[in-house]
Amino acid sequence: HVMVHIGDHRDPPSPRAASLPRELLEALAPGDILSHLCTGRQGGVLDAAGRPVPELLAARERGVVLDSALGRLNFSFRAARALLDQGIVPDTISSDMTGRGRGLIVYSLAECMSKFLALGFSLPQVVRMTTANSAAALGMSGALGSLAVGREADLSILRLVPGRWEFRDSLDDTLSGDQALAPVATVRAG
């Protein structure tokens, strides 16, 4: 399987930025992963009218995994909302954590999960997208992504914190939420 990254952050964008994702989507096979589904930059999966390109819908039907990969440069609340409003939901939530992004916008996976809560997803949906769905995308459902008798326990214990939270995306747009996830403890190989 392969994972492909879309979204062009260069200024000006590459002349191929608009057509390359469509070509990549046509080439992806079941189980391959499209990363940065919700990019708001050129080279994303929305056409000029804000509709998903047909190649995205076909790839979804074929079983291509759609990953949010928030990252420092390729996550937009507007793009996420446009996709969600048209029935396109990421299979997985991931951070795309980098050294530069960690202190600027991608503070933690819990922060990324909280952004999806603010977009209207339920806590069970967000947890499933981050754990079981991610394990399945990696072909590791037998070892990761859920608790089972006899399985090694790797746990992240999170607390749902009510309040007034403001989240920022890669284009400096904001979204308010009334809850966020905060890390409490980690159990490794329990």
Side-chain angles (χ1 to χ4, degrees):
H1 293 291
V2 299
M3 176 184 238
V4 297
H5 172 296
I6 60 169
D8 190 355
H9 65 275
R10 294 177 286 185
D11 189 20
S14 163
R16 296 245 316 123
S19 63
L20 188 58
R22 297 178 86 158
E23 294 169 29
L24 289 169
L25 284 163
E26 287 180 339
L28 294 176
D32 289 344
I33 302 171
L34 175 80
S35 189
H36 298 305
L37 174 68
C38 303
T39 185
R41 301 194 183 276
Q42 183 159 338
V45 295
L46 294 171
D47 65 18
R51 292 183 308 263
V53 296
E55 293 85 355
L56 176 66
L57 303 175
R60 176 80 160 168
E61 287 294 315
R62 282 195 313 277
V64 171
V65 176
L66 305 180
D67 179 44
S68 62
L70 279 69
R72 180 174 59 97
L73 298 171
N74 281 297
F75 183 75
S76 160
F77 293 128
R78 280 188 220 157
R81 176 56 50 215
L83 288 163
L84 297 175
D85 287 348
Q86 296 173 77
I88 305 294
V89 176
D91 296 301
T92 58
I93 296 174
S94 64
S95 66
D96 189 25
M97 179 84 66
T98 62
R100 291 179 65 195
R102 194 174 122 237
L104 296 172
I105 190 167
V106 187
Y107 302 106
S108 68
L109 184 56
E111 171 97 1
C112 296
M113 294 167 74
S114 298
K115 289 177 181 181
F116 277 88
L117 291 173
L119 281 164
F121 285 82
S122 70
L123 181 60
Q125 287 174 307
V126 168
V127 169
R128 187 172 41 258
M129 292 163 73
T130 310
T131 58
N133 289 7
S134 294
L138 295 172
M140 299 183 75
S141 292
L144 301 173
S146 65
L147 297 174
V149 174
R151 185 182 281 184
E152 186 174 87
D154 288 334
L155 307 173
S156 294
I157 301 168
L158 304 172
R159 180 170 44 105
L160 191 60
V161 181
R164 178 125 174 95
W165 300 92
E166 187 170 280
F167 303 103
R168 193 167 49 97
D169 70 11
S170 301
L171 302 176
D172 215 26
D173 287 333
T174 59
L175 179 67
S176 296
D178 59 6
Q179 54 189 353
L181 290 166
V184 173
T186 300
V187 175
R188 171 68 185 112

